[in-house]
Amino acid sequence: WVRNMRVAGGGELRLGWSKRPFTVTELADEDKPEIFRLYLKKWAWEVGRFFGDDVNKDSSDVKLLEVAPGFPVFKLHFQ
């Protein structure tokens, strides 16, 4: 889905009959640590293993930047 999103540049969120078009901006690696921390704080119990045993919400920026290239992050802009 990442390659598709990069090419399409957006999409449409659907919930029932409701549709919300959006565009995306892919974040640079240096912008990801804050997002990773929030994500791991809430979802580490389910996704933490994908980041590795030594990465968690309390990891340093340096450690989070090391893993950043392997995890694409997109910002959604609703129209």
Side-chain angles (χ1 to χ4, degrees):
W1 70 265
V2 172
R3 286 184 226 153
N4 290 339
M5 190 56 63
R6 286 174 176 152
V7 171
E12 186 175 80
L13 280 179
R14 296 179 185 198
L15 179 60
W17 296 100
S18 175
K19 299 177 187 177
R20 292 187 65 192
F22 64 90
T23 58
V24 296
T25 303
E26 189 166 2
L27 297 183
D29 289 343
E30 58 268 10
D31 298 326
K32 295 177 184 178
E34 180 181 347
I35 303 297
F36 287 165
R37 274 198 195 86
L38 293 170
Y39 184 63
L40 289 167
K41 183 176 180 180
K42 184 166 185 166
W43 297 105
W45 61 273
E46 187 169 350
V47 301
R49 67 181 179 269
F50 298 116
F51 283 83
D53 293 334
D54 58 342
V55 177
N56 59 53
K57 66 179 176 60
D58 298 319
S59 294
S60 68
D61 282 356
V62 172
K63 187 62 179 174
L64 293 172
L65 286 169
E66 284 177 19
V67 300
F71 296 92
V73 177
F74 293 90
K75 180 176 183 179
L76 279 64
H77 308 275
F78 290 97
Q79 302 166 344

